Amino acid sequence: GQQLNQSPQSMFIQEGEDVSMNCTSSSIFNTWLWYKQDPGEGPVLLIALYKAGELTSNGRLTAQFGITRKDSFLNISASIPSDVGIYFCAGLTRGTDKLIFGTGTRLQVFP
Amino acid sequence: DAGVTQSPTHLIKTRGQHVTLRCSPISGHKSVSWYQQVLGQGPQFIFQYYEKEERGRGNFPDRFSARQFPNYSSELNVNALLLGDSALYLCASSLTGFSTEAFFGQGTRLTVV
């Protein structure tokens, strides 16, 4: 099935560092979503983006809806140990309610 | 308030067998979606049901079927299991059927041997 490309695939950072990850698609999406998944749990929605160019924050997290509508970016500032997990982007196309997920970015934070 | 609950949490089946996975949505939510998450990948959409009607279907074989009951709970059925069906099966519920409002359960880990 279709999956969006996320990079990097994994990140190992020190506590306090900032993190950037992105998600790209060959198709246009009308909505971009970012989720975090902890081991043994389902994904939890972090941020939803509805308009090209939109920049939205949720605490230390900031996400942007790319101008081309084919990409999105997530930044985490001042990382802490509980940021550890897998981050997924997901896209929604107009007229469907089917989420297309990315391949995931695994984040490890070291004290 | 209880979140989305899925049962069982873990399951081991043999190739060729049939499996039924269950999902109870958040109280008041009328839509349920099912996703398959193979290890190391993102979830893949299987089905969405809203008000007991199928609203969407992903690119999965006919061995996969689902239904939604009058109380909005849902079952996912998989026939003739293959080794490749081993995955985490996630259920998500939402009030209106819009995926941007969906909450995911913790999933059922299915292992086919």
Side-chain angles (χ1 to χ4, degrees):
Chain A
Q2 181 187 3
Q3 290 227 300
L4 309 177
N5 295 314
Q6 284 187 246
S7 64
Q9 191 173 12
S10 60
M11 304 181 74
F12 299 84
I13 63 168
Q14 200 152 23
E15 185 176 355
E17 289 184 357
D18 296 344
V19 171
S20 290
M21 59 189 79
N22 66 31
C23 183
T24 59
S25 167
S26 57
S27 309
I28 287 172
F29 288 106
N30 299 106
T31 302
W32 283 94
L33 306 165
W34 284 92
Y35 290 85
K36 178 174 182 272
Q37 186 174 28
D38 293 328
E41 302 289 332
V44 174
L45 181 64
L46 300 172
I47 292 179
L49 303 156
Y50 300 100
K51 205 164 69 167
E54 179 182 351
L55 190 70
T56 297
S57 293
N58 177 7
R60 293 178 297 104
L61 278 61
T62 301
Q64 184 162 23
F65 192 139
I67 293 290
T68 66
R69 294 201 281 158
K70 292 184 177 182
D71 55 10
S72 181
F73 310 90
L74 177 69
N75 295 307
I76 305 173
S77 62
S79 58
I80 58 178
S82 61
D83 291 334
V84 167
I86 304 177
Y87 291 80
F88 289 101
C89 62
L92 266 177
T93 306
R94 191 188 305 280
T96 77
D97 209 29
K98 177 175 76 171
L99 287 169
I100 307 295
F101 279 85
T103 49
T105 292
R106 182 180 295 273
L107 178 64
Q108 292 275 20
V109 179
F110 295 100
Chain B
D1 278 345
V4 178
T5 55
Q6 293 186 241
S7 63
T9 53
H10 295 83
L11 199 53
I12 299 175
K13 288 285 190 178
T14 304
R15 273 179 299 176
Q17 284 188 317
H18 162 91
V19 70
T20 297
L21 310 181
R22 295 178 174 83
C23 173
S24 292
I26 292 171
S27 178
H29 283 195
K30 299 180 179 179
S31 175
V32 167
S33 297
W34 287 94
Y35 288 81
Q36 181 196 63
Q37 186 176 21
V38 172
L39 196 64
Q41 296 183 19
Q44 295 268 356
F45 174 79
I46 311 175
F47 287 109
Q48 186 190 25
Y49 278 79
Y50 179 70
E51 287 278 20
K52 292 155 280 183
E53 301 269 328
E54 183 184 299
R55 199 189 220 185
R57 173 183 287 249
N59 189 22
F60 279 81
D62 291 343
R63 299 184 296 108
F64 288 77
S65 64
R67 55 181 175 166
Q68 188 176 32
F69 298 101
N71 66 354
Y72 302 111
S73 68
S74 178
E75 281 182 356
L76 176 70
N77 295 285
V78 187
N79 292 324
L81 285 166
L82 304 173
L83 295 180
D85 295 331
S86 296
L88 180 68
Y89 288 85
L90 293 163
C91 172
S93 79
S94 66
L95 189 63
T96 57
F98 290 108
S99 294
T100 54
E101 304 167 355
F103 292 85
F104 282 84
Q106 66 182 48
T108 293
R109 171 71 63 189
L110 172 66
T111 303
V112 182
V113 297

